[in-house]
């Protein structure tokens, strides 16, 4: 009797395990199929966008009026942005595809800058028309290479998951039609990139890759990185710590430090090797009931920045998320806010501890600046605003525009109906550089009984 019961129990257990395994297999397959479908969609969309881009550049060559040319060039900029977005969704991290992305960026920057200028006063030059023709030819060759890859993918029913597997396993150098095809596309784009580097028109549109190369100071050791991590996190009594150097291929050198005090308080922080500057900090502890106001928390954030040598910073924005205060600071140089130099600080509202810090933008953008005087007066700049906007604040500020350039603007904080906006008007020519809708206070939803 007992033997029969054991047999039944074992049978049920085996059946249950088999069913669980089957369910796991089905769920895994569903995830893989979803990922494969996303990759296929992104790839075919990229091929389509390159077709559209080629045709759109071709139509601009036949245009002559501002009324037609400006919208057409704006479309070219939009299409290149879409194409770059599709590239970002493909598993091409380890494939050198940066030349193709650079090619798309150059076209986008050129078309955007040209579209927003007054083409009646400054029409396309002979050199710019020649450049458009060159880009038209280049886009045709690149789209043809993509079409070849697309044909092979469809003909041989190739899977993008195999590409991802090859990349993750380090076997990308093996025979893989998709990988080989994309390398060919990038080689083609590389040739054009090198050719275009001789053209001053393209060089003017190249956006420089911002990095930490300009940082000052000596190269720190692992021990120094650990001590700096303790200093910035405020965790001095450490039960366990780990310091790891950045891997190959990183844009800059840094140490990643993890701290654990053994009592539920721990932090992760990245620190540059050159100079020992903290890039970001996250404290992993739980946060208790709020005891500090947002204003008290800002005082804590101010003290933290001052105590660690950050100067000329001004709080530009403050927000509260549950029991956390988030503050954005920017450099203030003689009354001009410099938004490319921004730092974010998170403060726990239970005890005022700094639990988050992000200085990536500040480290990349901080430099000595020669800030020129605005050509427009404040009242003249106001004249470029929507007449329905009621201005509450105004100041001078430096922002980064769509082309990655720093521009001096008048910053206006204004309201219209029930919404608040931040509007930047170029202080030299009155162009509306950027409009941001500020977040309204979140409503509180209470359950009614």
């Amino acid at each position: 009797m007992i033997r029969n019961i054991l047999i039944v129990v074992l049978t049920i257990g085996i059946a249950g395990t088999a069913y669980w395994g089957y369910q796991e297999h089905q769920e895994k397959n569903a995830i893989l199929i979803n990922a494969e479908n996303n990759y296929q969609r992104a790839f075919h969309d990229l091929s389509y966008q390159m077709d559209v881009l080629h045709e759109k550049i071709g139509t601009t060559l036949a245009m002559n009026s501002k009324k037609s040319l400006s919208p057409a060039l704006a479309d070219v900029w939009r299409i290149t942005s879409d194409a770059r977005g599709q590239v970002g969704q493909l598993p091409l991290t380890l494939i050198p595809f940066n030349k193709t992305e650079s090619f798309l960026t150059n076209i986008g920057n050129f078309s955007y800058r040209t579209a927003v200028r007054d083409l009646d006063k400054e029409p396309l030059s002979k050199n710019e028309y020649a450049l458009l023709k060159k880009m038209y030819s280049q886009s045709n060759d690149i789209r043809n290479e993509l079409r070849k890859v697309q044909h092979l993918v469809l003909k041989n029913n190739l899977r993008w998951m195999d590409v991802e597997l090859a990349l993750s396993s380090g076997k990308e150098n093996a025979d893989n039609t998709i990988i080989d095809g994309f390398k060919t596309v990038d080689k083609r784009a590389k040739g054009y990139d090198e050719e275009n580097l001789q053209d001053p028109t393209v060089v003017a549109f190249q956006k420089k890759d911002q990095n930490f190369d300009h940082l000052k100071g000596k190269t720190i050791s692992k021990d120094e990185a650990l001590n700096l991590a303790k200093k910035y996190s405020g965790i001095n009594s450490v039960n366990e710590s780990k310091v790891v150097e950045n891997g190959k291929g990183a844009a800059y050198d840094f140490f990643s430090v993890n701290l654990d005090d053994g009592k539920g308080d721990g932090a992760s922080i990245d620190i540059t090797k050159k100079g020992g500057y903290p890039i970001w900090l996250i404290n992993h502890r739980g946060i208790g009931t709020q005891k500090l106001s947002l204003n008290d928390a800002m005082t804590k954030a101010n003290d933290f920045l001052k105590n660690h040598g950050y100067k000329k910073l001004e709080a530009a924005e403050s927000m509260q998320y549950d029991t956390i205060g988030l503050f954005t600071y920017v450099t203030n140089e003689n009354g001009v806010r410099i938004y490319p130099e921004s730092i974010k600080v998170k403060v726990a509202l239970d005890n005022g501890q700094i639990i988050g810090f992000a200085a990536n933008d500040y480290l990349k953008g901080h430099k000595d600046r020669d800030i020129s005087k605005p050509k427009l007066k404040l009242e003249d700049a106001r004249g470029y605003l929507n007449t329905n906007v009621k201005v509450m604040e105004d100041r001078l500020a430096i922002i980064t525009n769509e082309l990655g350039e720093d521009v001096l603007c008048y910053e206006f904080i204004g309201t219209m109906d029930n919404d608040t906006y931040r509007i930047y008007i170029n202080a030299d020519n009155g162009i509306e550089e950027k409009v941001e809708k500020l977040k309204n206070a979140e409503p509180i939803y209470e359950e009614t009984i």
Side-chain angles (χ1 to χ4, degrees):
M1 183 66 180
I2 295 177
R3 182 168 173 244
N4 292 336
I5 292 173
L6 289 174
I7 292 174
V8 170
V9 171
L10 287 173
T11 302
I12 293 173
I14 292 171
T17 302
Y19 178 74
W20 174 81
Y22 173 77
Q23 288 289 96
E24 286 285 302
H25 179 71
Q26 289 294 94
E27 290 177 5
K28 182 179 179 181
N29 278 346
I31 294 172
L32 292 176
I33 290 171
N34 182 61
E36 178 65 29
N37 289 341
N38 286 335
Y39 288 151
Q40 292 285 357
R41 177 194 53 75
F43 171 61
H44 294 300
D45 281 352
L46 172 62
S47 299
Y48 170 73
Q49 294 291 355
M50 287 303 300
D51 279 344
V52 175
L53 177 63
H54 174 69
E55 295 298 325
K56 183 60 70 172
I57 294 175
T59 59
T60 62
L61 293 173
M63 295 177 179
N64 190 41
S65 69
K66 173 188 175 183
K67 184 177 180 180
S68 300
L69 192 54
S70 290
L73 288 169
D75 274 346
V76 170
W77 173 68
R78 176 185 57 78
I79 294 165
T80 57
S81 297
D82 290 343
R84 289 167 60 196
Q86 304 306 331
V87 171
Q89 295 181 48
L90 294 172
L92 300 173
T93 309
L94 299 181
I95 297 179
F97 206 58
N98 56 307
K99 294 300 179 183
T100 303
E101 291 183 281
S102 177
F103 172 73
L104 291 171
T105 299
N106 289 340
I107 295 178
N109 287 348
F110 171 81
S111 58
Y112 176 83
R113 182 191 287 265
T114 309
V116 299
R117 86 181 189 216
D118 191 338
L119 292 174
D120 285 337
K121 295 181 180 179
E122 191 181 355
L124 286 180
S125 66
K126 290 183 179 179
N127 286 340
E128 288 173 327
Y129 267 114
L131 180 60
L132 269 176
K133 288 182 179 180
K134 189 185 294 184
M135 289 179 171
Y136 179 63
S137 174
Q138 295 168 355
S139 63
N140 184 52
D141 286 345
I142 291 177
R143 73 160 184 159
N144 284 337
E145 293 294 341
L146 280 173
R147 284 299 183 188
K148 290 178 184 178
V149 178
Q150 187 179 43
H151 170 72
L152 292 173
V153 168
L154 295 173
K155 178 183 177 181
N156 301 318
N157 196 27
L158 301 177
R159 299 192 318 157
W160 279 92
M161 291 305 299
D162 294 334
V163 176
E164 188 171 45
L165 180 62
L167 293 174
S168 61
S169 62
K171 297 180 180 179
E172 65 271 16
N173 293 324
D175 183 23
N176 188 299
T177 302
I178 296 179
I179 294 177
D180 293 342
F182 268 87
K183 286 182 177 179
T184 301
V185 173
D186 208 53
K187 283 181 181 178
R188 179 82 68 170
K190 180 181 180 182
Y192 295 139
D193 190 60
E194 292 171 348
E195 179 184 349
N196 283 337
L197 283 176
Q198 308 304 317
D199 193 321
T201 310
V202 173
V203 173
F205 300 133
Q206 295 270 4
K207 179 181 177 182
K208 294 181 180 179
D209 291 329
Q210 292 181 314
N211 212 315
F212 297 156
D213 294 337
H214 63 285
L215 295 180
K216 299 177 181 179
K218 68 180 184 68
T219 300
I220 65 171
S221 65
K222 282 189 175 183
D223 288 339
E224 288 173 316
L226 178 60
N227 290 330
L228 286 170
K230 293 178 181 178
K231 174 184 174 183
Y232 281 98
S233 66
I235 302 176
N236 296 313
S237 179
V238 177
N239 182 56
E240 185 178 353
S241 64
K242 185 178 182 181
V243 183
V244 180
E245 296 184 55
N246 61 280
K248 293 182 179 179
Y252 50 87
D253 294 326
F254 62 93
F255 290 109
S256 288
V257 185
N258 285 289
L259 304 175
D260 185 357
D261 69 349
K263 300 176 182 178
D265 198 0
S268 298
I269 181 171
D270 277 3
I271 300 174
T272 63
K273 287 185 180 179
K274 186 177 181 180
Y277 300 97
I279 305 168
W280 60 265
L281 160 73
I282 296 177
N283 190 292
H284 306 298
R285 76 170 177 86
I287 302 172
T289 305
Q290 179 176 347
K291 296 179 181 178
L292 300 178
S293 68
L294 197 61
N295 190 58
D296 294 333
M298 181 180 288
T299 301
K300 297 286 186 181
N302 291 342
D303 292 341
F304 175 83
L305 293 171
K306 289 179 182 178
N307 292 337
H308 290 92
Y310 293 95
K311 301 177 181 178
K312 298 182 179 180
L313 290 178
E314 175 185 2
E317 192 174 66
S318 63
M319 302 185 75
Q320 181 173 344
Y321 298 93
D322 197 15
T323 54
I324 294 175
L326 175 62
F327 305 95
T328 301
Y329 289 83
V330 297
T331 298
N332 187 314
E333 191 73 46
N334 297 323
V336 180
R337 282 187 176 180
I338 304 175
Y339 282 98
E341 301 181 18
S342 66
I343 292 178
K344 293 187 182 296
V345 182
K346 278 185 179 182
V347 181
L349 298 181
D350 58 353
N351 64 2
Q353 183 183 11
I354 305 301
I355 58 171
F357 175 84
N360 187 66
D361 291 338
Y362 181 84
L363 293 176
K364 288 180 178 180
H366 186 58
K367 60 183 179 183
D368 293 329
R369 300 172 187 270
D370 183 14
I371 303 175
S372 60
K373 291 185 178 180
K375 294 180 181 178
L376 291 178
K377 294 181 179 179
L378 174 61
E379 288 306 314
D380 294 332
R382 278 178 178 263
Y384 290 94
L385 294 173
N386 186 315
T387 56
N388 294 317
V389 175
K390 182 181 179 182
V391 176
M392 310 300 291
E393 298 178 31
D394 58 68
R395 63 177 63 85
L396 280 171
I398 291 177
I399 67 168
T400 303
N401 66 9
E402 294 283 355
L403 294 175
E405 301 168 332
D406 288 352
V407 289
L408 179 65
C409 296
Y410 283 104
E411 175 188 1
F412 295 98
I413 307 295
T415 59
M416 187 170 64
D417 296 329
N418 297 318
D419 295 314
T420 304
Y421 297 88
R422 183 184 281 128
I423 304 170
Y424 297 97
I425 302 296
N426 192 300
D428 290 334
N429 54 31
I431 290 177
E432 192 175 68
E433 293 284 354
K434 187 183 295 185
V435 177
E436 299 175 352
K437 181 179 177 296
L438 302 183
K439 291 183 179 180
N440 295 325
E442 291 289 337
I444 298 175
Y445 299 98
E446 295 184 354
E447 184 179 347
T448 56
I449 300 175

